[in-house]
Structures are given as C-alpha cells and as structure tokens.
Amino acid sequence: MAENVFERLESLLSRRNPESVFEFLEGQFREEKRYPHLFETLLMRKRCEMGLPLIQTGPLDLQDPQRKDYEESFIRAAREVGALYLADGNVPRAWPYFRAIGETAPVAAAIERIEEIEDIGPIVEIAFYEKVHPVKGFELILNQYGSCRAISSLMQYPGVEGREECLAILVRRLESELFENLKRTIEQVEGKTPEAQSVSELVGGREWLFENHAYYIDTSHIQSVLQMSIDSKNDVTHRRALELAEYATHLSSMYQYAGQPPFEGFGDYAVYFRTLLGISAEEGVRYFNNKLEATDFEQVGSGPAQLVVNLLVRLGRQQEALDVFLKYLRKTDPTQLNCPNAVQLCQMASAYDRLKEVSLQDNDLLSFAAASLQA
C-alpha cells in the first residue's frame, strides 16, 4: 500500500502542480489521522506559496507583511489540527496546538464534557494545573482521587482564577459527607431518620455522638479547609465552614489542634465565621481584639493583627481596622503586609485628618497633599 501511495505522489509530482501535491498529502494524512504530519503539510504548503525553503531548519526571518501572513497560517493550521484531535476525543494531543496559539476555550469546552475517562491524569494536568478549566479539573481530582488529594492540590494551586469555585466545591463535599455520616449513625442508634437539615441540627443535643473519641470525617481535612476558607469571599462557603467548625468543637480533645493565634482551636474558627456572617459580630470583634491583646507578636509575627484588620475591613469597620493597624502594625515591613496599610485604611474610612497625621509621621508629602485636597 505504501508503494501505491508513493506511486500516486510521484505521478502528481510529475505534473509540476504543487497545489495538487499538497491537496493529496493533506487528504492522505487526514484519512490516516496522522495529524502532526497534516500540521507540517499545511505549513509547508504556505512556505511553498511564499517562496520559502520547504524544509524549515530554523526560525524564519520574515518581515511584515510576510511574517503576519505566515503567523496567520500557523494559527489556522494549529486550530484545525487541534480541532481534529478534539473531535477524536483526544484532549492531551489537542492541547499543545491550542496552547501554541493561546486559545483555551475549545479545550475547556471539551474538558467540560468529560465524565469518565480511564487515564484522568493528563486531563487533570491540563485542566487544573495549566488552568484551562480549573473547576472541572478540581472536580475530576475530587471524584477520582478523593478529598485528601483534592485538598493538597488546592493548597498548591498556582493561581487565583477558579480557586474560589474549587473551594466551594470542596467545602460542600465535606459538609455533605459529614451530614450523611452523622445522619446514618443517628438512624442506627435512634431507629429513625432524623428530620434535621444541617450538621448543627444533627449534633445539637446528641453529645453521645462523640463518646469514645468518635469522629465522622477526617479531622485534618476539616482543619485544612477551614484555613483555606478564611480568605473566601463566598458567604455560602462561610456558612458551610461554620457548620464544619462548630461540629469540630464537639470532638474529643485528642482531635483538637493547637494552632497559631488567632486560630488556636476549632472554636476560634467558629467565632470567625460567625463574625464574618454578621452573627454576633460585636462579640466576635471583641473576642479577636482580646486575643490580640494576649498575643506575643515577637513569637508569632504580625499575621494575627493583619487578619483582624482584614476582618474589620470586610465588615465595613474601617475606622476600627485603622486603630488595630496603628496599634499593632505601624512598624511592620510594608512588603510583609497582606492587609491594607495605614494610608489606605484612612482613605477607605474617609479619615482625612488622621491621614494627615499619618503622612506627617511618615514624611509622606504626597499622601498629606491627598488628605488635604480631599478634606
């Protein structure tokens, strides 16, 4: 068969019509699904049209408009070959072509349609770690490898886009697993299905659930998820995190983590999420201010104070956030700040007189001018 193909090719070559030669080659490679060869054929055809060497031995030194013309042909060829691989359901082979031209949408759409696949690793790599479709990639990790792998992957996730959605999926999964495990245990003991609709309702009045060091979901998973949920902007995630934290406060002392201030136990997380959600917010703010008073900042660093500043800002209490900053963070290296600085907090609070004071202390002429102009 190979001889017949070469005979046909030689017949076409004898006619000295390059177009027919390339049409034959393209058709042959499409039929045989030899898509890399098709890609090279498309580019060779373009080089032939442009009077360039057919075999490329190095970067082409082209000037506009030739350069632009060849680049457009490269994009069309990569798009076509990538689409052929996607049509065959081969996302890993399609991705390099779309990555080369900076187009992720077709690959993301193909990944979205994936439900089950034997070798999920390459899809996860593209979807999650290369951020083509991080949310779907995370779902695949969670469904294929479980919560432990999913938590580790999210903690190492190299980006911001999709992180919030992935965290929401993870928190929902953990809360759902915990709810079902508690519900099943209660049904076995009490002989009927509880009518409760939340983890808190299931646990309420049932301290026997935690006798003999019993637990219903990996406690280290809860700890990790609560830590990640601190920076979430999603109130649904906050509510679910609160459910997990309040459940964890009932666990035996052997499962209670001795963390760093201001989160020295699951109870602190519960207070934090209640405060963030506006549940007993005044008590929560006092609670964390009191914790700051008792914190040894030389030992633990400025993190606790920065967290309280961010919490107060999210509650719309910029004046109080400024007070905390000036009390605990005034001398902190600006490059180490993960919260608004004093000048920004003054601006957010429209505290222009205080901004002038801060500017004078810092010899900040520009901020002093801004404060004066706005006042």
Side-chain angles (χ1 to χ4, degrees), residues 258-371:
Q260 292 289 328
F263 297 112
E264 297 170 278
F266 290 118
D268 291 338
Y269 285 105
V271 174
Y272 177 84
F273 290 114
R274 280 198 297 270
T275 305
L276 200 56
L277 290 164
I279 304 169
S280 304
E282 292 295 334
E283 293 177 15
V285 169
R286 283 197 300 273
Y287 179 85
F288 282 109
N289 277 328
N290 289 337
K291 286 186 75 71
L292 290 183
E293 293 284 354
T295 297
D296 183 351
F297 289 99
E298 289 187 4
Q299 182 176 356
V300 301
S302 64
Q306 294 195 49
L307 185 138
V308 173
V309 168
N310 283 328
L311 174 61
L312 290 166
V313 168
R314 292 171 72 173
L315 292 172
R317 302 167 74 143
Q318 286 84 0
Q319 289 276 8
E320 293 171 66
L322 177 59
D323 291 337
V324 171
F325 187 97
L326 294 176
K327 184 173 183 178
Y328 298 107
L329 298 169
R330 196 73 176 91
K331 297 180 180 179
T332 302
D333 181 351
T335 63
Q336 301 301 311
L337 287 176
N338 191 33
C339 68
N341 60 33
V343 169
Q344 292 167 328
L345 289 167
C346 288
Q347 181 69 37
M348 293 164 72
S350 299
Y352 303 123
D353 287 341
R354 297 191 75 181
L355 178 54
K356 289 171 72 173
E357 293 173 11
V358 168
S359 302
L360 279 170
Q361 293 169 11
D362 292 347
N363 196 29
D364 183 350
L365 195 63
L366 185 59
S367 296
F368 184 88

Side-chain angles (χ1 to χ4, degrees), residues 238-259:
H238 297 156
R239 283 193 288 273
R240 289 185 166 134
L242 176 58
E243 289 283 298
L244 294 174
E246 290 188 332
Y247 151 80
T249 61
H250 294 273
L251 292 170
S252 162
S253 59
M254 68 184 295
Y255 301 124
Q256 300 296 330
Y257 287 84

Side-chain angles (χ1 to χ4, degrees), residues 8 27 35-36 39 54 88 90 93 112 115 123 136 154 159 164 219 227 235 260 264 332 371:
R8 290 166 60 193
Y35 300 142
F39 179 71
L54 297 191
D88 288 348
N90 196 335
R93 293 298 299 274
E112 177 65 32
E115 294 300 330
I123 303 298
K136 181 66 176 184
L154 188 55
E164 186 77 72
T219 312
Q227 288 175 345
D235 278 351
Q260 292 289 328
E264 297 170 278
T332 302

Side-chain angles (χ1 to χ4, degrees), residues 146-182:
S147 298
C148 190
R149 174 76 172 272
I151 290 169
S152 298
S153 298
L154 188 55
M155 292 178 75
Q156 299 168 18
Y157 178 61
V160 175
E161 184 180 354
R163 184 180 182 84
E164 186 77 72
E165 293 86 347
C166 292
L167 178 60
I169 292 169
L170 179 59
V171 175
R172 182 173 67 242
R173 172 67 67 87
L174 288 182
E175 185 199 28
S176 177
E177 288 179 4
L178 176 59
F179 181 85
E180 291 303 321
N181 292 343
L182 287 166

Side-chain angles (χ1 to χ4, degrees), residues 211-222:
E211 292 175 354
N212 301 316
H213 309 299
Y215 66 94
Y216 301 90
I217 197 169
D218 192 310
T219 312
S220 66
H221 292 175
I222 292 179

